[in-house]
Amino acid sequence: MSGKRMKSMIGLALVLSAMPWGRASGLAIGAPIASPAAEDTSRALIGQWDGTYTADHGPSGTMNLTISKDTVLKLTALNLSMGSNMAAVPVSNLAVTSTDISWTLDMMGQACTATAVEKHGEMRGSMACGHVSVQFFVTKIVKP
């Protein structure tokens, strides 16, 4: 490679590294950037939510969930009424986008998925567990 071409390439590398998406901004090139809408949704989710669910193959009931954030957003508690008891349901993989919220849960040893949409302190969604579908509606009752 010629010396002139090498100098051009080094100059281009220096220019690119000074651009807003380069190291000067603290972001690595290609790093995902959270959308402002997803950040707004994340903030709106933190708190306690109470409501009801209906199942296509079983009784309806009440539910509550708690979403918190320390270093990451977490669904820290999900409880469903089953008969006269509230049962804690293990949850994981909470994901928030600018359009919806999703998580996975374990119901009686079966992996299930949940998807919801939050708007103005109300969350509507569904949970799918094999052949059973559950619709839910919760409202925010405790804000952080």
Side-chain angles (χ1 to χ4, degrees), residues 33-99:
I33 299 172
S35 75
E39 286 297 320
D40 290 345
T41 300
S42 295
R43 272 192 294 281
L45 293 173
I46 297 170
Q48 186 174 339
W49 300 77
D50 280 351
T52 59
Y53 70 88
T54 57
D56 62 355
H57 287 66
S60 299
T62 59
M63 68 182 285
N64 62 56
L65 54 100
T66 303
I67 298 175
S68 64
K69 183 175 182 179
D70 47 24
T71 56
V72 296
L73 196 64
K74 295 179 185 178
L75 180 53
T76 52
L78 173 63
N79 298 290
L80 301 173
S81 65
M82 299 193 184
S84 59
N85 298 322
M86 288 296 277
V89 178
V91 295
S92 59
N93 302 322
L94 179 67
V96 178
T97 70
S98 60
T99 58

Side-chain angles (χ1 to χ4, degrees), residues 7 10 16 23 30 34 44 51 59 65 85 90 120-121 124 130:
K7 285 180 185 179
I10 291 171
L16 289 175
R23 293 180 190 191
L65 54 100
N85 298 322
H120 307 298
R124 294 180 188 275

Side-chain angles (χ1 to χ4, degrees), residues 89-136:
V89 178
V91 295
S92 59
N93 302 322
L94 179 67
V96 178
T97 70
S98 60
T99 58
D100 64 11
I101 305 109
S102 63
W103 63 87
T104 56
L105 56 152
D106 183 7
M107 299 268 298
M108 296 176 273
Q110 184 172 10
C112 307
T113 59
T115 305
V117 175
E118 184 278 334
K119 188 172 184 179
H120 307 298
E122 298 179 343
M123 193 183 316
R124 294 180 188 275
S126 62
M127 295 182 273
C129 296
H131 66 282
V132 176
S133 177
V134 176
Q135 304 298 311
F136 65 89

